[in-house]
Amino acid sequence: MAKFWGSDVRKFILSVLAVLLFVGCASEQLDEILGLSKPKDDPEVVQMIDAIYLHNQKEYKKAFRRFEHYAKEGNVLAMYQVGLCYRDGLGVSKDMLRALFWFKTAGRYGHKDALRNAGYIYEYGLGVNKNFKKAMAYYYEAVNLGSNEAAFELGSLYLLQNEFKDARYFLNLSCGGGVKEACDKLATMKF
């Protein structure tokens, strides 16, 4: 019995500690893989938290000024927000050309929703001449960045042009990404 409490106990305790240490390290990695860990704060969001707060309080003019300030400092999310403010007339007069400018600017930095919005403005001729070619180019860029909504828009444009193979491809992509309208459109179409 004395021997058990000697080296065997030490080995057992060391084994338990090693397992606990391994599980502790592995659980952080497992949590990250499974998406259970706390997401890291996006520095662009943190920078403009005051503007977001003002926007949520419906103090649109103050929020717009802050978004614009952060956009001019290079904050891509703020650039997109400025575009939305101009598009919707929140805190500033509605101005589709300025909205388009900010969407294009944010799009140059890889903001997929900004690119989709630029495409939408060209597709429907909102403050600019309708231009399906430009709209499709912006939608393509957004799709390449993972925008399922832009895939829907692109599929719909191909459908209007009777290019069914491309329409089906982009609508399937969009439907697979969770865009219900794309699934509905696919269900009613006969390709």
Side-chain angles (χ1 to χ4, degrees):
M1 189 72 134
K3 185 171 172 127
F4 175 77
W5 286 106
S7 66
D8 288 342
V9 170
R10 279 188 290 229
K11 287 180 187 176
F12 176 74
I13 290 172
L14 288 174
S15 297
V16 169
L17 287 174
V19 168
L20 289 174
L21 181 61
F22 174 75
V23 170
C25 292
S27 70
E28 288 178 21
Q29 292 170 342
L30 185 60
D31 285 351
E32 189 174 316
I33 290 168
L34 296 175
L36 301 174
S37 59
K38 180 181 177 240
K40 295 179 176 47
D41 290 333
D42 184 333
E44 289 192 328
V45 172
V46 171
Q47 180 189 32
M48 59 181 203
I49 198 75
D50 58 335
I52 295 167
Y53 174 79
L54 289 168
H55 186 273
N56 290 341
Q57 296 299 311
K58 299 189 183 338
E59 294 187 42
Y60 298 122
K61 285 184 182 184
K62 288 180 183 178
F64 172 77
R65 285 194 300 271
R66 300 247 176 107
F67 285 134
E68 186 178 44
H69 171 75
Y70 298 134
K72 289 178 180 177
E73 287 185 347
N75 184 316
V76 177
L77 292 176
M79 293 173 192
Y80 175 64
Q81 281 302 131
V82 170
L84 291 176
C85 289
Y86 276 119
R87 183 195 71 187
D88 300 336
L90 293 175
V92 66
S93 296
K94 195 180 264 196
D95 186 330
M96 295 308 285
L97 290 177
R98 288 186 182 186
L100 183 60
F101 167 81
W102 284 106
F103 290 146
K104 286 180 177 182
T105 303
R108 282 195 294 276
Y109 292 98
H111 196 289
K112 64 184 178 183
D113 291 327
L115 291 165
R116 183 176 60 84
N117 274 283
Y120 192 86
I121 287 172
Y122 280 114
E123 179 182 354
Y124 291 97
L126 305 174
V128 297
N129 291 329
K130 279 186 182 185
N131 188 326
F132 284 174
K133 190 174 181 177
K134 283 186 179 182
M136 292 177 86
Y138 282 108
Y139 289 150
Y140 263 115
E141 281 188 70
V143 169
N144 286 333
L145 293 171
S147 174
N148 296 313
E149 293 80 8
F152 170 73
E153 301 295 347
L154 200 49
S156 297
L157 278 177
Y158 276 121
L159 201 55
L160 284 174
Q161 298 170 9
N162 294 322
E163 295 182 32
F164 300 114
K165 183 178 176 184
D166 290 328
R168 181 175 44 242
Y169 173 80
F170 286 105
L171 291 173
N172 274 324
L173 183 65
S174 182
C175 179
V179 178
K180 185 182 179 321
E181 295 88 354
C183 301
D184 293 345
K185 194 169 271 199
L186 281 167
T188 61
M189 303 312 298
K190 294 183 181 179
F191 293 100

